[in-house]
């Protein structure tokens, strides 16, 4: 029972996490009014997944795993780009505000609304990315002899949704300074995991076949389908036996981006005259 | 939510309507999915023969599978206590996979496989990989038969080739007619070979326009009174007049007719619907004809440009084969290898004769080239039959 639960939890968290991050970002930038639109994005993505599932079933086609992998890789790469640019944009904006005086920083963000719409599109893609695969997993679960498997799988989805909401609710409570600094670092780690998993998906789609030697295999110690492994792989993209290309891409992204983000130097992106404000954290 | 102010007033009613509409859409698609599932369940249960693979904690059972090429259905049963993914690997490349098979679950994977030896993953990374032997189907059953859609690219490219060559032929025929009518015997003689060569390139599809083929390329043997027959016309009539009789008298109308036929051929090729069968089968037929011993060899009985016309016929056949090759190599790799060898042998012989500098060939040389061309034609026919191109 545990494994169907964990599989759906992991797939669900991958989507819910991105949605939670985007929702908290929208809310912290004074766009709380967008929240219903976030829900619209989620509903549309779920409808999309169900309709694709219905069409494939009527056409008597089984789940196209390779196409799904390509879909997953493409959206994963888009998500990495969106999340990374969001982090660096937040960092730049955070330098130019007096965080303590504002509970909300709407005035500081004069971003055009197409940015908001782009983030809603990202919500749709993030949910659709896992949605189609999850629909088929649930379907398989319902077709098994064991009656508890589908219930456990559904419980996994629900818990994943709660985690996504928790990310949103938790980061909304942080004070702005910490929000920018620590969620930024957290998002970069998430993005690195997404990137490594996109490389893995590209391999499974049959497109990327270089650097497939296994660097280390700790699937005996911390398997990805154990409870902790599922949490780690859902949130941070943990892979229990990474290949050379996944490993290189992960570190190659994470180390420079974290360094750029945390290095507290008056970068060219900082607003001049405000750089003497050192973040509190 | 937490925002105390709304910097950008989203049109509230629009958002509300969108929210409700998307929620309704979600409910509707859930219902659609439910009914699609019921319908699919009824339709199933007629599952064709499938191969069952059980994944245990240590390995696949059986750990070595043998299936026939073509469509295969695998039932993957996970009897281990871990979630597994099952992959068919060609080297490091993932050919097919099924992910997230939870313990106790059985999932299906349907795929088309080409003959060859593959590896299959069996749960844990440390478990030995299984082997999957995909055997070629005997007697070229339907499984090995390439789908017609696989040929779309090749057919389109061949059509372009034919169009280009027909244009060249029409131009050469025009130039030929001009030279004949202007009374310039030397120029007319020089114009003959380019026209003959361009025509030889498209010869594999000539059965598809047999009336024009007769008008353009018929030989004297096909007429009751041979060369003296008044119906004898086309390229070889001109060739006969120019090279055997050494004059231009009576050739002007023949040359005009040839130019008109060439123009008609252009239009005909434009509308032509080619099938893979005519590419392989036509190439074989035209090679057999070019290989015929005697004065007809290489389609140049009077000008004795045996070598260039023979070479042009080979080039036309090779173009058709090269385009079919990517599909052919999957179905019949050994025939493709044989054909490659035939072409290489012909190239070598032609190069040797070219080095000798003579366009006209002596009978033993013709016999040798003819034999090689027949061998090539036989292999091409074999390919056509094995690939079962007549679909």
């Amino acid at each position: 029972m545990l494994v169907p639960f964990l599989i759906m939890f992991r797939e669900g968290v991958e989507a819910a996490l991105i949605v939670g991050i985007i929702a908290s970002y929208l809310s912290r930038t004074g766009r709380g009014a967008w929240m219903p639109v976030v829900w619209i994005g989620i509903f549309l993505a779920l409808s999309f997944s169900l309709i694709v599932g219905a069409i494939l079933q009527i056409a008597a086609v089984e789940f196209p795993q390779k196409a799904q992998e390509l879909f997953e890789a493409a959206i994963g790469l888009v998500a990495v780009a969106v999340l990374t640019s969001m982090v660096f944009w937040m960092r730049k904006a955070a330098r130019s505000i007096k965080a303590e005086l504002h509970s909300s920083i709407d005035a500081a963000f004069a971003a055009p609304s197409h940015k908001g719409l782009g983030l809603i599109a990202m919500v749709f893609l993030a949910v659709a990315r896992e949605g189609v695969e999850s629909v088929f997993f649930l379907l398989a679960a319902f077709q098994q002899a064991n009656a508890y498997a589908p219930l456990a799988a559904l419980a996994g989805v629900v818990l994943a949704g709660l985690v996504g909401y928790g990310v949103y609710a938790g980061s909304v409570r942080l004070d702005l300074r910490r929000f920018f600094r620590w969620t930024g670092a957290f998002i970069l780690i998430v993005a690195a995991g997404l990137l490594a998993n996109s490389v893995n998906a590209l391999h499974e789609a049959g497109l990327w076949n270089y650097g497939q030697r296994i660097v280390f295999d700790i699937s005996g110690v911390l398997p990805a389908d154990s409870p902790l492994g599922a949490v780690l792989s859902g949130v941070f993209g943990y892979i229990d036996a990474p290949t050379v290309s996944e490993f290189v891409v992960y570190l190659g992204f994470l180390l420079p981006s974290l360094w750029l983000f945390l290095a507290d130097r008056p970068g060219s992106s900082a607003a001049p005259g405000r750089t003497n404000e050192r973040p509190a954290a | 939510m937490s925002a105390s102010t709304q910097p950008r007033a989203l049109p509230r009613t629009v958002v509300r309507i969108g929210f409700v509409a998307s929620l309704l859409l979600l409910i509707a698609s859930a219902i659609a999915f439910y009914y699609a599932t019921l319908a699919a369940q009824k339709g199933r249960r007629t599952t064709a023969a499938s191969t069952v693979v059980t994944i245990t904690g240590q390995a696949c059972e059986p750990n070595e599978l043998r299936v026939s090429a073509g469509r295969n259905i695998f039932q993957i049963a996970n009897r281990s206590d871990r979630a597994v993914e099952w992959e068919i690997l060609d080297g490091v490349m993932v050919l097919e996979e099924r992910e997230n098979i939870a313990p106790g679950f059985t999932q299906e994977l349907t795929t088309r496989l080409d003959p060859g030896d593959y590896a299959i993953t069996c749960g844990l990374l440390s478990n030995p990989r299984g082997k999957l032997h995909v055997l070629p189907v005997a007697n070229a059953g339907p499984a090995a038969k390439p789908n017609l859609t696989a040929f779309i690219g090749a057919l389109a490219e061949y059509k372009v080739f034919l169009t280009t060559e027909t244009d060249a032929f029409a131009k050469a025929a025009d130039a030929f007619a001009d030279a004949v009518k202007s009374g310039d015997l030397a120029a007319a003689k020089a114009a003959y070979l380019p026209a003959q060569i361009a025509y030889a390139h498209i010869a594999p599809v000539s059965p598809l326009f047999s009336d024009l083929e007769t008008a353009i390329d018929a030989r004297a043997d096909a007429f009751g009174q041979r060369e003296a027959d008044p119906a004898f016309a086309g390229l070889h009539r001109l060739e006969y007049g120019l090279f055997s009789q050494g004059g231009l008298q009576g050739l002007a109308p023949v040359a005009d007719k040839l130019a008109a036929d060439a123009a008609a051929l252009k239009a005909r090729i434009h509308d032509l619907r080619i099938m893979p069968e005519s590419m392989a089968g036509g190439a074989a037929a035209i090679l057999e004809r070019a290989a015929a011993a005697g004065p007809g060899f290489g389609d140049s009985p009077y000008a004795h440009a045996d070598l260039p016309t023979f070479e042009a016929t080979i080039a036309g056949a090779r173009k058709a084969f090269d385009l079919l090759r990517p599909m052919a190599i999957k179905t019949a790799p050994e025939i493709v290898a044989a054909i490659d060898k035939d072409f290489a042998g012909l190239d070598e012989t032609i190069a040797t004769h070219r080095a000798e500098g003579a366009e006209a060939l002596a009978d033993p040389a013709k016999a040798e080239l003819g034999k090689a061309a027949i061998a090539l034609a036989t292999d091409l026919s074999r390919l056509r039959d094995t690939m079962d191109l007549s679909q």
Side-chain angles (χ1 to χ4, degrees), chain B residues 36-58:
Chain B
T37 309
L38 288 187
Q41 224 115 51
K42 256 181 242 157
R44 210 166 293 163
R45 304 297 153 234
T46 49
T47 327
S50 57
T51 311
V52 178
V53 190
T54 306
I55 299 173
T56 68
Q58 288 81 39

Side-chain angles (χ1 to χ4, degrees), chain A residues 11 57 62 106 203-204 223 225, chain B residues 5 37 83 85 92 99 110:
Chain A
E11 303 281 353
Q57 289 210 71
E62 51 180 56
D106 8 293
H203 169 61
E204 293 186 335
D225 60 350
Chain B
T5 54
T37 309
E85 56 182 44
V92 292
E99 273 192 2
T110 307

